Amino acid sequence: MLFTHATILTLDSTRRIITDGAIYVPRGSNRISSLGKTAALLAQYPDEEKYDLTGRIVIPGLVSTHMHTAQTLLRGTADDLELVSWLCERIWVLQGNFTKDDGYAAARLSIAEMLKSGTTCFLESMFADRYGFEGLCQAVAESGIRGCLGKIVMDKGTYAADDAWAMHPGLIEDRETSLLGTVKMWEKWNGKADDRIRVWFGARTPGGVSDELYREMTAISREKNIPITMHCAEVKADRAFFGSVGHTPMTYCSSVGLLSPSTVLVHMVHLDDRDISLLSESGTHVAHCPTSNAKLASGTCRVPDLQTAGVNIGLGTDGAPCNNTCDLLQEMKLAAIIHKGASYDPTVVSAESVLEMATINGAKALGLDSEIGSLEVGKKADFVAIDTRGVSMQPWFNPVSAVVYTATGRDVDTVVVDGRVVVRNGELLTMDEGQIVKEAERRSREVVERAGLGEKVRPKWTVE
Protein backbone atom coordinates (compact mmCIF):
# COMPACT_ATOMS: atom_id res chain seq x y z
CA MET A 1 0.00 0.00 0.00
CA LEU A 2 1.14 3.53 -0.79
CA PHE A 3 0.37 6.09 1.95
CA THR A 4 0.43 9.51 0.29
CA HIS A 5 0.32 13.31 0.77
CA ALA A 6 1.41 13.43 4.44
CA THR A 7 3.86 15.55 6.39
CA ILE A 8 6.28 12.89 7.64
CA LEU A 9 8.45 13.23 10.75
CA THR A 10 10.96 10.47 10.08
CA LEU A 11 12.95 10.63 13.36
CA ASP A 12 15.84 9.18 11.34
CA SER A 13 19.43 10.11 12.17
CA THR A 14 19.08 13.45 10.36
CA ARG A 15 15.59 14.11 11.82
CA ARG A 16 14.33 14.71 8.28
CA ILE A 17 10.84 16.15 7.76
CA ILE A 18 9.22 15.31 4.41
CA THR A 19 6.40 17.56 3.20
CA ASP A 20 3.84 16.01 0.84
CA GLY A 21 5.52 12.71 1.63
CA ALA A 22 4.65 9.09 1.02
CA ILE A 23 5.45 5.70 2.53
CA TYR A 24 5.38 2.47 0.53
CA VAL A 25 4.71 -0.84 2.26
CA PRO A 26 4.45 -3.70 -0.26
CA ARG A 27 1.46 -6.00 -0.03
CA GLY A 28 2.16 -8.81 2.41
CA SER A 29 5.20 -7.03 3.87
CA ASN A 30 5.64 -5.58 7.35
CA ARG A 31 8.52 -3.26 6.40
CA ILE A 32 8.92 0.12 4.76
CA SER A 33 10.19 -0.38 1.24
CA SER A 34 10.41 3.27 0.24
CA LEU A 35 9.60 6.74 1.50
CA GLY A 36 10.01 10.18 -0.02
CA LYS A 37 8.01 12.75 -1.93
CA THR A 38 4.54 11.65 -2.99
CA ALA A 39 5.09 12.58 -6.63
CA ALA A 40 8.20 10.42 -6.86
CA LEU A 41 6.61 7.38 -5.22
CA LEU A 42 3.44 7.68 -7.30
CA ALA A 43 5.60 7.64 -10.40
CA GLN A 44 7.54 4.64 -9.11
CA TYR A 45 4.51 2.62 -7.98
CA PRO A 46 1.62 3.79 -10.19
CA ASP A 47 -0.48 0.65 -9.76
CA GLU A 48 -0.29 0.37 -5.96
CA GLU A 49 -3.35 0.82 -3.77
CA LYS A 50 -3.42 4.40 -2.44
CA TYR A 51 -4.19 5.55 1.10
CA ASP A 52 -4.60 9.34 1.11
CA LEU A 53 -3.23 11.11 4.20
CA THR A 54 -3.75 14.68 3.09
CA GLY A 55 -3.82 17.00 6.09
CA ARG A 56 -2.15 14.48 8.39
CA ILE A 57 1.18 14.50 10.19
CA VAL A 58 2.76 11.05 10.21
CA ILE A 59 5.06 10.05 13.06
CA PRO A 60 6.67 6.75 14.05
CA GLY A 61 4.42 4.62 16.24
CA LEU A 62 4.59 5.82 19.84
CA VAL A 63 6.46 3.64 22.34
CA SER A 64 5.26 3.67 25.95
CA THR A 65 8.07 2.51 28.23
CA HIS A 66 5.91 2.15 31.34
CA MET A 67 2.37 0.86 31.55
CA HIS A 68 0.19 -1.19 33.93
CA THR A 69 -2.42 -2.83 31.70
CA ALA A 70 -4.38 -4.33 34.60
CA GLN A 71 -4.91 -0.95 36.21
CA THR A 72 -6.95 0.52 33.36
CA LEU A 73 -9.90 -1.40 34.82
CA LEU A 74 -9.42 0.75 37.96
CA ARG A 75 -9.45 4.17 36.30
CA GLY A 76 -10.72 6.83 38.71
CA THR A 77 -10.87 4.59 41.80
CA ALA A 78 -8.06 6.28 43.75
CA ASP A 79 -7.94 9.95 42.82
CA ASP A 80 -6.41 12.64 45.06
CA LEU A 81 -4.92 10.31 47.66
CA GLU A 82 -1.45 10.36 49.18
CA LEU A 83 0.66 7.42 48.06
CA VAL A 84 0.39 5.04 51.03
CA SER A 85 -3.41 5.25 51.00
CA TRP A 86 -3.49 5.15 47.21
CA LEU A 87 -1.43 1.97 47.06
CA CYS A 88 -2.19 0.00 50.24
CA GLU A 89 -5.83 0.89 50.81
CA ARG A 90 -7.07 1.08 47.22
CA ILE A 91 -4.93 -0.20 44.34
CA TRP A 92 -3.38 -3.29 45.94
CA VAL A 93 -6.73 -4.22 47.52
CA LEU A 94 -8.50 -3.93 44.17
CA GLN A 95 -5.79 -5.76 42.23
CA GLY A 96 -5.69 -8.45 44.91
CA ASN A 97 -9.31 -9.27 43.99
CA PHE A 98 -8.70 -9.68 40.25
CA THR A 99 -9.48 -12.87 38.38
CA LYS A 100 -7.76 -14.00 35.18
CA ASP A 101 -10.83 -12.93 33.20
CA ASP A 102 -10.58 -9.47 34.77
CA GLY A 103 -6.92 -9.32 33.71
CA TYR A 104 -7.80 -10.20 30.12
CA ALA A 105 -10.59 -7.61 29.99
CA ALA A 106 -8.26 -4.96 31.44
CA ALA A 107 -5.53 -5.80 28.93
CA ARG A 108 -7.95 -5.48 26.02
CA LEU A 109 -9.25 -2.14 27.31
CA SER A 110 -5.69 -0.82 27.73
CA ILE A 111 -4.57 -1.98 24.31
CA ALA A 112 -7.63 -0.57 22.58
CA GLU A 113 -7.02 2.83 24.17
CA MET A 114 -3.31 2.76 23.37
CA LEU A 115 -3.85 1.85 19.72
CA LYS A 116 -6.54 4.48 19.22
CA SER A 117 -4.26 7.15 20.71
CA GLY A 118 -1.19 6.19 18.66
CA THR A 119 0.82 3.85 20.89
CA THR A 120 2.01 0.92 18.81
CA CYS A 121 4.43 -0.65 21.32
CA PHE A 122 4.37 -0.73 25.12
CA LEU A 123 6.28 -2.08 28.10
CA GLU A 124 4.04 -3.71 30.71
CA SER A 125 5.72 -3.15 34.03
CA MET A 126 4.77 -6.09 36.24
CA PHE A 127 1.75 -8.21 35.42
CA ALA A 128 0.85 -10.37 38.42
CA ASP A 129 0.30 -14.09 38.07
CA ARG A 130 -3.27 -13.81 39.34
CA TYR A 131 -4.20 -11.56 36.38
CA GLY A 132 -3.46 -14.35 33.90
CA PHE A 133 -0.27 -13.59 31.98
CA GLU A 134 -1.30 -15.79 29.06
CA GLY A 135 -4.46 -13.73 28.65
CA LEU A 136 -2.28 -10.62 28.31
CA CYS A 137 -0.23 -12.36 25.63
CA GLN A 138 -3.40 -13.40 23.85
CA ALA A 139 -4.74 -9.84 23.93
CA VAL A 140 -1.52 -8.55 22.35
CA ALA A 141 -1.64 -11.25 19.68
CA GLU A 142 -5.28 -10.55 18.79
CA SER A 143 -5.01 -6.75 18.72
CA GLY A 144 -1.98 -6.28 16.47
CA ILE A 145 -0.03 -4.13 18.95
CA ARG A 146 3.57 -4.79 20.04
CA GLY A 147 4.00 -5.71 23.68
CA CYS A 148 7.08 -6.08 25.85
CA LEU A 149 5.46 -7.86 28.75
CA GLY A 150 6.99 -7.76 32.21
CA LYS A 151 5.79 -10.56 34.50
CA ILE A 152 6.24 -9.73 38.16
CA VAL A 153 9.30 -10.94 40.10
CA MET A 154 9.10 -10.76 43.91
CA ASP A 155 9.46 -12.71 47.14
CA LYS A 156 8.40 -10.17 49.78
CA GLY A 157 5.03 -8.61 50.56
CA THR A 158 6.34 -5.26 51.78
CA TYR A 159 7.33 -1.94 50.23
CA ALA A 160 10.54 -0.13 51.11
CA ALA A 161 11.44 -0.30 54.82
CA ASP A 162 7.99 0.48 56.24
CA ASP A 163 5.84 -2.41 57.49
CA ALA A 164 2.77 -0.21 57.00
CA TRP A 165 3.26 -0.59 53.24
CA ALA A 166 2.01 -4.17 53.12
CA MET A 167 0.74 -5.81 49.96
CA HIS A 168 -2.69 -7.35 49.76
CA PRO A 169 -2.35 -11.11 50.35
CA GLY A 170 -3.89 -11.79 46.95
CA LEU A 171 -0.88 -10.24 45.22
CA ILE A 172 1.99 -11.90 47.09
CA GLU A 173 4.06 -14.33 45.01
CA ASP A 174 7.10 -16.47 45.74
CA ARG A 175 10.23 -17.24 43.72
CA GLU A 176 8.71 -20.22 41.93
CA THR A 177 5.55 -18.42 40.81
CA SER A 178 7.21 -15.13 39.90
CA LEU A 179 10.80 -15.65 38.77
CA LEU A 180 10.55 -19.22 37.48
CA GLY A 181 7.06 -18.53 36.17
CA THR A 182 8.42 -15.65 34.09
CA VAL A 183 11.07 -17.92 32.58
CA LYS A 184 8.34 -20.42 31.65
CA MET A 185 6.29 -17.68 29.99
CA TRP A 186 9.41 -16.44 28.18
CA GLU A 187 10.00 -19.94 26.82
CA LYS A 188 6.39 -20.19 25.64
CA TRP A 189 5.58 -16.68 24.41
CA ASN A 190 8.74 -14.73 23.60
CA GLY A 191 8.83 -13.97 19.86
CA LYS A 192 5.25 -15.12 19.25
CA ALA A 193 2.61 -13.20 17.26
CA ASP A 194 5.12 -12.53 14.43
CA ASP A 195 7.66 -11.35 17.02
CA ARG A 196 5.32 -8.70 18.39
CA ILE A 197 5.51 -10.27 21.86
CA ARG A 198 8.62 -10.03 24.02
CA VAL A 199 8.64 -11.33 27.60
CA TRP A 200 10.51 -9.37 30.28
CA PHE A 201 11.25 -9.63 33.96
CA GLY A 202 9.05 -7.10 35.80
CA ALA A 203 10.82 -6.82 39.14
CA ARG A 204 9.12 -5.26 42.13
CA THR A 205 10.65 -2.18 43.74
CA PRO A 206 13.58 -2.79 46.12
CA GLY A 207 12.15 -3.75 49.48
CA GLY A 208 9.80 -6.18 47.73
CA VAL A 209 12.56 -8.45 46.42
CA SER A 210 15.42 -10.04 48.34
CA ASP A 211 19.00 -9.33 47.26
CA GLU A 212 19.38 -13.04 46.49
CA LEU A 213 16.39 -13.09 44.14
CA TYR A 214 17.57 -9.94 42.35
CA ARG A 215 20.97 -11.54 41.78
CA GLU A 216 19.40 -14.75 40.52
CA MET A 217 17.15 -12.77 38.18
CA THR A 218 19.98 -10.64 36.79
CA ALA A 219 22.10 -13.76 36.22
CA ILE A 220 19.25 -15.38 34.25
CA SER A 221 18.74 -12.10 32.41
CA ARG A 222 22.33 -12.15 31.18
CA GLU A 223 22.24 -15.88 30.38
CA LYS A 224 18.99 -15.89 28.41
CA ASN A 225 18.89 -12.24 27.25
CA ILE A 226 15.65 -11.49 29.10
CA PRO A 227 15.39 -7.71 29.73
CA ILE A 228 14.36 -6.22 33.08
CA THR A 229 12.11 -3.34 34.08
CA MET A 230 11.65 -2.05 37.63
CA HIS A 231 10.20 0.91 39.53
CA CYS A 232 13.02 2.73 41.30
CA ALA A 233 13.56 5.87 43.40
CA GLU A 234 9.97 6.94 42.82
CA VAL A 235 9.22 8.37 46.27
CA LYS A 236 11.16 9.57 49.30
CA ALA A 237 10.47 6.24 51.05
CA ASP A 238 12.49 4.51 48.32
CA ARG A 239 15.44 6.78 48.97
CA ALA A 240 15.13 6.08 52.69
CA PHE A 241 15.14 2.33 52.04
CA PHE A 242 18.35 2.53 50.03
CA GLY A 243 19.94 4.59 52.79
CA SER A 244 18.89 2.02 55.40
CA VAL A 245 20.99 -0.62 53.62
CA GLY A 246 23.96 1.70 53.09
CA HIS A 247 23.30 2.62 49.48
CA THR A 248 22.00 5.23 47.09
CA PRO A 249 19.47 4.02 44.51
CA MET A 250 22.04 3.29 41.83
CA THR A 251 24.78 1.86 44.04
CA TYR A 252 22.18 -0.62 45.28
CA CYS A 253 21.08 -1.48 41.75
CA SER A 254 24.71 -1.93 40.77
CA SER A 255 25.32 -4.25 43.73
CA VAL A 256 22.65 -6.72 42.57
CA GLY A 257 23.45 -6.51 38.86
CA LEU A 258 20.53 -4.37 37.71
CA LEU A 259 22.47 -1.65 35.87
CA SER A 260 22.62 -2.71 32.23
CA PRO A 261 21.64 -1.66 28.70
CA SER A 262 18.95 -4.35 29.05
CA THR A 263 17.30 -2.63 32.03
CA VAL A 264 14.60 0.07 32.08
CA LEU A 265 14.27 1.78 35.47
CA VAL A 266 11.01 3.64 35.99
CA HIS A 267 10.32 7.05 37.60
CA MET A 268 13.85 7.70 38.96
CA VAL A 269 12.85 10.87 40.78
CA HIS A 270 15.09 10.81 43.86
CA LEU A 271 18.62 10.59 42.44
CA ASP A 272 21.86 12.32 43.34
CA ASP A 273 24.62 13.30 40.93
CA ARG A 274 26.53 10.03 41.43
CA ASP A 275 23.39 8.05 40.62
CA ILE A 276 23.10 9.90 37.33
CA SER A 277 26.75 9.19 36.52
CA LEU A 278 26.26 5.48 37.20
CA LEU A 279 23.22 5.42 34.93
CA SER A 280 25.16 7.08 32.15
CA GLU A 281 28.19 4.81 32.52
CA SER A 282 26.11 1.63 32.54
CA GLY A 283 23.81 2.43 29.63
CA THR A 284 20.73 1.80 31.77
CA HIS A 285 17.54 3.38 30.46
CA VAL A 286 14.97 5.55 32.30
CA ALA A 287 11.20 5.61 31.79
CA HIS A 288 9.87 9.09 32.62
CA CYS A 289 6.24 9.31 33.83
CA PRO A 290 5.57 12.99 34.59
CA THR A 291 1.80 12.77 35.09
CA SER A 292 2.05 9.93 37.60
CA ASN A 293 4.87 11.65 39.50
CA ALA A 294 2.90 14.90 39.65
CA LYS A 295 -0.48 13.43 40.55
CA LEU A 296 0.93 11.25 43.33
CA ALA A 297 3.16 14.13 44.52
CA SER A 298 6.23 11.91 44.17
CA GLY A 299 8.44 14.73 42.91
CA THR A 300 9.94 15.70 39.56
CA CYS A 301 12.48 13.56 37.74
CA ARG A 302 15.78 15.35 36.96
CA VAL A 303 15.28 14.97 33.22
CA PRO A 304 17.44 17.93 32.12
CA ASP A 305 20.36 16.58 34.16
CA LEU A 306 19.82 13.06 32.83
CA GLN A 307 19.80 14.42 29.28
CA THR A 308 23.04 16.34 29.89
CA ALA A 309 24.62 13.13 31.18
CA GLY A 310 23.58 11.25 28.04
CA VAL A 311 21.11 8.89 29.73
CA ASN A 312 18.53 7.45 27.33
CA ILE A 313 15.03 8.50 28.46
CA GLY A 314 11.76 7.01 27.28
CA LEU A 315 8.24 8.10 28.18
CA GLY A 316 5.40 6.22 29.86
CA THR A 317 1.85 6.91 30.98
CA ASP A 318 2.02 4.58 34.02
CA GLY A 319 -1.37 3.18 35.11
CA ALA A 320 -4.83 4.69 34.78
CA PRO A 321 -5.37 5.19 38.56
CA CYS A 322 -2.43 7.64 38.68
CA ASN A 323 -2.88 9.15 35.24
CA ASN A 324 -6.46 8.42 34.17
CA THR A 325 -5.42 7.97 30.54
CA CYS A 326 -3.18 5.76 28.40
CA ASP A 327 -2.74 8.61 25.88
CA LEU A 328 1.00 9.10 25.31
CA LEU A 329 0.37 12.24 23.24
CA GLN A 330 -0.98 13.95 26.35
CA GLU A 331 2.02 12.66 28.32
CA MET A 332 4.35 14.30 25.80
CA LYS A 333 2.86 17.73 26.42
CA LEU A 334 3.35 17.52 30.18
CA ALA A 335 6.88 16.12 29.75
CA ALA A 336 7.77 19.16 27.66
CA ILE A 337 6.21 21.64 30.08
CA ILE A 338 6.76 20.46 33.64
CA HIS A 339 10.55 20.80 33.60
CA LYS A 340 10.31 24.38 32.33
CA GLY A 341 8.25 25.31 35.38
CA ALA A 342 10.50 23.40 37.77
CA SER A 343 13.70 24.97 36.40
CA TYR A 344 12.42 28.47 35.52
CA ASP A 345 13.99 27.83 32.10
CA PRO A 346 11.64 27.66 29.08
CA THR A 347 14.39 26.26 26.86
CA VAL A 348 14.87 22.94 28.70
CA VAL A 349 13.32 19.67 27.46
CA SER A 350 12.30 20.82 24.00
CA ALA A 351 9.36 19.49 22.01
CA GLU A 352 11.86 17.76 19.72
CA SER A 353 13.52 15.92 22.61
CA VAL A 354 10.14 14.81 23.97
CA LEU A 355 9.07 13.39 20.61
CA GLU A 356 12.35 11.48 20.60
CA MET A 357 11.55 10.11 24.06
CA ALA A 358 8.20 8.82 22.82
CA THR A 359 9.60 7.20 19.66
CA ILE A 360 13.25 6.41 18.94
CA ASN A 361 14.43 6.69 22.57
CA GLY A 362 11.64 4.39 23.70
CA ALA A 363 12.53 1.90 20.98
CA LYS A 364 16.17 2.00 22.11
CA ALA A 365 15.14 1.38 25.72
CA LEU A 366 13.27 -1.73 24.61
CA GLY A 367 16.16 -2.95 22.46
CA LEU A 368 14.08 -2.46 19.31
CA ASP A 369 15.58 0.66 17.76
CA SER A 370 16.95 -1.31 14.78
CA GLU A 371 13.35 -2.24 13.94
CA ILE A 372 11.03 0.54 15.11
CA GLY A 373 11.10 4.08 16.51
CA SER A 374 11.86 5.90 13.26
CA LEU A 375 10.56 5.81 9.70
CA GLU A 376 13.32 4.44 7.48
CA VAL A 377 13.60 2.01 4.59
CA GLY A 378 13.97 -1.51 5.96
CA LYS A 379 12.39 -0.80 9.34
CA LYS A 380 9.05 -2.21 10.48
CA ALA A 381 6.05 -0.28 9.18
CA ASP A 382 4.81 1.10 12.52
CA PHE A 383 3.43 4.63 12.14
CA VAL A 384 0.64 6.97 13.16
CA ALA A 385 -1.23 9.66 11.20
CA ILE A 386 -2.50 12.63 13.20
CA ASP A 387 -5.35 14.59 11.63
CA THR A 388 -4.62 18.32 11.65
CA ARG A 389 -7.68 19.44 9.68
CA GLY A 390 -9.91 20.28 12.65
CA VAL A 391 -10.22 23.56 14.53
CA SER A 392 -8.21 22.30 17.53
CA MET A 393 -5.12 21.64 15.39
CA GLN A 394 -5.13 24.73 13.20
CA PRO A 395 -3.03 26.60 12.40
CA TRP A 396 0.37 24.96 12.76
CA PHE A 397 3.78 25.95 11.47
CA ASN A 398 6.14 23.43 13.07
CA PRO A 399 4.81 19.84 12.88
CA VAL A 400 6.81 18.78 15.94
CA SER A 401 5.21 21.54 17.99
CA ALA A 402 1.78 20.56 16.67
CA VAL A 403 2.27 16.94 17.72
CA VAL A 404 3.76 17.60 21.17
CA TYR A 405 1.90 20.70 22.34
CA THR A 406 -1.46 20.45 20.56
CA ALA A 407 -2.42 16.92 19.55
CA THR A 408 -4.15 14.39 21.80
CA GLY A 409 -5.14 10.82 21.15
CA ARG A 410 -8.49 12.01 19.83
CA ASP A 411 -6.66 13.47 16.83
CA VAL A 412 -5.23 10.09 15.79
CA ASP A 413 -6.69 9.12 12.43
CA THR A 414 -4.70 6.09 11.24
CA VAL A 415 -2.43 3.59 12.97
CA VAL A 416 -0.28 1.00 11.20
CA VAL A 417 1.56 -1.75 13.08
CA ASP A 418 3.74 -4.31 11.35
CA GLY A 419 2.44 -3.11 7.99
CA ARG A 420 -1.20 -3.67 8.98
CA VAL A 421 -3.76 -0.87 9.33
CA VAL A 422 -5.22 -1.39 12.80
CA VAL A 423 -6.97 2.00 13.16
CA ARG A 424 -8.66 3.74 10.22
CA ASN A 425 -10.52 7.05 10.47
CA GLY A 426 -10.17 6.78 14.23
CA GLU A 427 -11.93 3.40 14.33
CA LEU A 428 -10.29 0.29 15.79
CA LEU A 429 -10.27 -2.50 13.20
CA THR A 430 -8.80 -5.46 15.10
CA MET A 431 -11.04 -5.55 18.16
CA ASP A 432 -14.73 -5.00 18.97
CA GLU A 433 -14.56 -1.72 20.86
CA GLY A 434 -18.16 -1.83 22.02
CA GLN A 435 -17.75 -5.32 23.46
CA ILE A 436 -14.48 -4.34 25.17
CA VAL A 437 -16.12 -1.33 26.85
CA LYS A 438 -19.17 -3.31 27.96
CA GLU A 439 -17.05 -6.08 29.45
CA ALA A 440 -14.67 -3.66 31.17
CA GLU A 441 -17.53 -1.67 32.68
CA ARG A 442 -19.10 -4.80 34.16
CA ARG A 443 -15.88 -6.31 35.45
CA SER A 444 -14.61 -3.09 36.99
CA ARG A 445 -17.70 -2.86 39.16
CA GLU A 446 -17.44 -6.51 40.13
CA VAL A 447 -13.82 -6.01 41.24
CA VAL A 448 -14.76 -2.97 43.34
CA GLU A 449 -17.61 -4.81 45.04
CA ARG A 450 -15.50 -7.95 45.57
CA ALA A 451 -12.89 -5.77 47.27
CA GLY A 452 -15.53 -4.14 49.48
CA LEU A 453 -14.70 -0.65 48.26
CA GLY A 454 -18.01 0.35 46.72
CA GLU A 455 -18.55 3.21 49.16
CA LYS A 456 -14.93 4.40 48.89
CA VAL A 457 -14.98 5.04 45.14
CA ARG A 458 -18.28 6.95 45.07
CA PRO A 459 -18.27 10.68 44.25
CA LYS A 460 -17.41 12.98 47.16
CA TRP A 461 -20.36 15.22 46.37
CA THR A 462 -23.99 14.26 47.00
CA VAL A 463 -25.56 12.12 44.28
CA GLU A 464 -29.33 12.36 43.87
Side-chain angles (χ1 to χ4, degrees):
M1 185 175 290
L2 191 57
F3 299 85
T4 60
H5 299 299
T7 297
I8 302 174
L9 304 179
T10 64
L11 273 290
D12 65 10
S13 61
T14 68
R15 302 301 189 257
R16 180 171 53 136
I17 298 173
I18 305 173
T19 58
D20 194 13
I23 300 173
Y24 175 50
V25 183
R27 186 182 301 275
S29 174
N30 64 355
R31 296 186 182 272
I32 297 171
S33 179
S34 183
L35 77 163
K37 290 287 191 177
T38 292
L41 268 66
L42 284 173
Q44 190 173 357
Y45 306 106
D47 299 324
E48 284 296 325
E49 180 182 359
K50 315 297 190 303
Y51 192 115
D52 189 0
L53 291 175
T54 298
R56 282 76 155 189
I57 298 172
V58 170
I59 60 174
L62 299 176
V63 180
S64 180
T65 53
H66 186 60
M67 170 66 185
H68 293 270
T69 50
Q71 289 185 0
T72 306
L73 209 63
L74 310 177
R75 194 193 321 263
T77 59
D79 292 330
D80 306 327
L81 296 174
E82 54 82 28
L83 187 59
V84 177
S85 299
W86 181 89
L87 190 59
C88 300
E89 298 174 12
R90 292 286 178 90
I91 300 307
W92 277 348
V93 177
L94 290 163
Q95 291 180 159
N97 280 278
F98 263 52
T99 66
K100 288 180 170 55
D101 288 339
D102 296 329
Y104 177 62
R108 295 180 77 217
L109 180 66
S110 299
I111 291 168
E113 183 181 356
M114 284 190 285
L115 284 175
K116 290 194 67 176
S117 56
T119 293
T120 59
C121 181
F122 71 98
L123 175 56
E124 159 63 46
S125 179
M126 47 182 188
F127 207 77
D129 191 72
R130 73 171 299 119
Y131 311 153
F133 187 80
E134 296 205 66
L136 171 61
C137 295
Q138 191 62 41
V140 170
E142 294 166 349
S143 67
I145 202 168
R146 294 188 192 281
C148 295
L149 310 179
K151 187 176 182 300
I152 198 166
V153 175
M154 65 170 293
D155 59 355
K156 294 183 179 182
T158 56
Y159 185 108
D162 192 336
D163 290 339
W165 294 49
M167 284 189 98
H168 186 278
L171 290 176
I172 296 174
E173 299 183 25
D174 58 16
R175 169 184 175 273
E176 182 174 353
T177 302
S178 64
L179 178 71
L180 301 186
T182 302
V183 174
K184 289 179 182 177
M185 289 297 97
W186 177 81
E187 291 170 345
K188 181 173 183 179
W189 285 98
N190 194 65
K192 294 297 173 63
D194 298 320
D195 201 31
R196 287 185 288 105
I197 293 175
R198 302 290 179 92
V199 177
W200 285 48
F201 287 124
R204 276 204 65 216
T205 312
V209 184
S210 66
D211 292 1
E212 294 74 22
L213 194 63
Y214 273 134
R215 291 191 179 102
E216 185 178 5
M217 178 187 69
T218 55
I220 295 171
S221 171
R222 291 189 294 271
E223 175 193 349
K224 297 182 179 293
N225 195 28
I226 304 176
I228 299 167
T229 188
M230 185 185 78
H231 296 67
C232 189
E234 179 180 3
V235 294
K236 290 180 179 179
D238 292 327
R239 184 85 201 192
F241 168 78
F242 292 121
S244 74
V245 294
H247 280 287
T248 70
M250 293 305 95
T251 63
Y252 177 84
C253 287
S254 179
S255 74
V256 294
L258 281 164
L259 296 187
S260 159
S262 296
T263 297
V264 176
L265 297 178
V266 185
H267 299 302
M268 302 292 277
V269 173
H270 298 278
L271 305 177
D272 61 24
D273 291 347
R274 179 57 180 152
D275 288 325
I276 292 175
S277 295
L278 287 170
L279 278 170
S280 179
E281 293 162 9
S282 66
T284 305
H285 312 277
V286 169
H288 180 36
C289 305
T291 299
S292 171
N293 296 157
K295 189 179 180 189
L296 293 175
S298 302
T300 304
C301 179
R302 294 175 59 185
V303 166
D305 295 330
L306 290 167
Q307 289 179 324
T308 298
V311 176
N312 183 56
I313 307 168
L315 201 62
T317 59
D318 208 337
C322 60
N323 188 320
N324 300 72
T325 181
C326 304
D327 183 350
L328 202 64
L329 283 163
Q330 292 190 50
E331 200 72 23
M332 279 198 281
K333 180 173 183 176
L334 185 60
I337 289 174
I338 197 167
H339 303 287
K340 302 180 192 306
S343 66
Y344 301 98
D345 182 355
T347 68
V348 301
V349 190
S350 67
E352 287 76 12
S353 70
V354 169
L355 185 56
E356 290 168 342
M357 289 181 200
T359 55
I360 191 63
N361 289 9
K364 182 179 179 181
L366 304 188
L368 298 174
D369 51 313
S370 64
E371 297 278 30
I372 64 172
S374 62
L375 301 178
E376 303 180 61
V377 171
K379 279 197 169 186
K380 296 287 182 68
D382 289 15
F383 55 89
V384 174
I386 296 170
D387 195 341
T388 69
R389 296 172 297 176
V391 293
S392 66
M393 290 290 296
Q394 287 292 333
W396 60 266
F397 300 93
N398 175 356
V400 177
S401 171
V403 170
V404 173
Y405 289 125
T406 309
T408 73
R410 294 178 179 85
D411 298 305
V412 169
D413 175 84
T414 300
V415 179
V416 177
V417 186
D418 222 33
R420 177 188 184 190
V421 178
V422 296
V423 175
R424 183 193 295 264
N425 298 325
E427 297 297 321
L428 188 60
L429 303 182
T430 57
M431 307 166 78
D432 185 335
E433 186 176 345
Q435 193 274 334
I436 288 170
V437 170
K438 184 177 179 181
E439 181 79 358
E441 185 177 24
R442 176 176 69 86
R443 290 194 173 276
S444 66
R445 281 158 175 72
E446 289 176 356
V447 169
V448 168
E449 293 306 316
R450 203 180 301 138
L453 293 176
E455 291 300 314
K456 295 287 188 181
V457 302
R458 288 171 53 84
K460 296 176 182 177
W461 293 348
T462 303
V463 178
E464 296 181 351

